[in-house]
Amino acid sequence: MKTKDVAISGIMIALVFVLTFAIKVPVPFTRGYVHLGDSMIFISAILFGRRVGALAGGLGSALADLVGGYAYWAIPTLIIKSVMGALVGWVSDSYRNKYSGKKELTIFLSSIGIWLAFSLTLSLFLKNLIANLATSPLTNNLMNELGYESIEELENFLLNARGLINIILLAIPIAIILISLFLRGKGSTLFRLGNLMGSMIAGLWMVIGYFFAGRIIVGNWVMPIFEVPWNVLQFTVGILVAYIVLFGLQKTKLFENSQK
């Protein structure tokens, strides 16, 4: 990497660290937390490409885990957030180098297919769990973790959780499509549908990555599911904050230079 790239990477690593470490909300289900650091990962990758995005996302987030008392998440975070930053940067780089309607359609259809497959799999998993609560070996563990005294209470909770997760997973791509349609006339590939959908899929990678990491840390497949809405909310807010900042930077030299 050039000296300039090393300096930029260092600054973005620090910004990801600060926004991850300074404002965080603990999630008791998986002993993790949600934060605003994702917004800086998106900004890093979109402005400076996949290498800076990967470095800023992986190192900045992992350092926040180490310093913030979540050291057991540091290695999964390093891997998950590095890939997340690289994915955002890869899509952004492809738009920066050459835009085409075919490329945008391919990214859009692929993103929708992956998102729907994940949403359907998660919904069916919860449906099957609810239908077999009486015989599931996870029932007692769930009741102890969640503080319920009867299967009926647990069943009502899971039904509500499944409905909420389904609504959130349906609303996110619809919102992104509407945002893209509203902003695509602003004269920048930044707000192209494929670019936004690429950011969404990078966020979905984070959700899936932390789901499997949570499975290892917590010891079952169910508890990490309840972190899914929080992680979806986290990367969605991250996208919104990032694009608001980038929208404001559009007329500056920083944005112009990064798009060359």
Side-chain angles (χ1 to χ4, degrees):
M1 294 178 71
K2 299 178 181 178
T3 303
K4 176 184 175 182
D5 293 331
V6 173
I8 290 173
S9 297
I11 292 171
M12 299 314 297
I13 288 170
L15 289 173
V16 171
F17 168 80
V18 169
L19 265 73
T20 303
F21 178 78
I23 305 174
K24 54 179 178 279
V25 179
V27 179
F29 295 120
T30 55
R31 307 182 187 97
Y33 61 99
V34 296
H35 52 80
L36 290 176
D38 287 354
S39 61
M40 277 301 155
I41 298 176
F42 287 117
I43 291 173
S44 300
I46 291 170
L47 281 182
F48 305 112
R50 58 183 180 274
R51 286 186 297 180
V52 174
L55 286 171
L59 293 178
S61 302
L63 284 172
D65 281 348
L66 284 171
V67 176
Y70 294 86
Y72 45 85
W73 280 107
I75 297 301
T77 291
L78 178 65
I79 298 169
I80 293 166
K81 292 302 181 75
S82 294
V83 175
M84 179 183 176
L87 284 173
V88 177
W90 176 77
V91 174
S92 181
D93 286 346
S94 69
Y95 270 74
R96 185 166 24 244
N97 295 332
K98 185 179 180 181
Y99 168 78
S100 71
K102 182 179 180 181
K103 181 186 295 183
E104 180 169 26
L105 181 61
T106 300
I107 294 175
F108 172 71
L109 293 178
S110 300
S111 300
I112 288 295
I114 294 169
W115 188 268
L116 289 177
F118 172 77
S119 301
L120 183 60
T121 300
L122 190 59
S123 182
L124 289 176
F125 180 85
L126 282 172
K127 181 180 180 181
N128 183 66
L129 174 66
I130 293 168
N132 295 283
L133 271 181
T135 57
S136 175
L138 293 172
T139 299
N140 288 333
N141 184 30
L142 283 171
M143 290 175 65
N144 290 333
E145 288 278 353
L146 297 171
Y148 291 121
E149 298 181 355
S150 68
I151 293 180
E152 288 75 18
E153 289 179 320
L154 177 61
E155 183 178 4
N156 288 332
F157 171 78
L158 291 175
L159 284 170
N160 291 331
R162 179 173 181 253
L164 177 62
I165 291 172
N166 287 341
I167 291 172
I168 291 173
L169 292 178
L170 178 63
I172 297 302
I174 293 175
I176 286 178
I177 291 170
L178 292 176
I179 290 171
S180 176
L181 292 174
F182 178 74
L183 294 175
R184 67 184 296 118
K186 300 299 180 180
S188 171
T189 57
L190 178 66
F191 302 108
R192 297 281 188 180
L193 183 57
N195 214 1
L196 283 162
M197 296 299 284
S199 296
M200 183 188 78
I201 290 304
L204 179 59
W205 153 258
M206 182 199 74
V207 173
I208 295 173
Y210 277 120
F211 173 79
F212 283 102
R215 162 65 180 88
I216 296 172
I217 290 174
V218 176
N220 66 68
W221 291 103
V222 180
M223 298 308 293
I225 290 176
F226 303 125
E227 194 179 41
V228 167
W230 291 97
N231 280 334
V232 171
L233 177 64
Q234 176 180 296
F235 85 72
T236 303
V237 172
I239 290 175
L240 291 175
V241 172
Y243 275 86
I244 289 171
V245 172
L246 291 168
F247 184 74
L249 292 174
Q250 274 194 112
K251 303 301 182 181
T252 67
K253 290 184 178 180
L254 174 64
F255 187 88
E256 292 174 359
N257 293 336
S258 71
Q259 300 302 296
K260 293 178 181 179

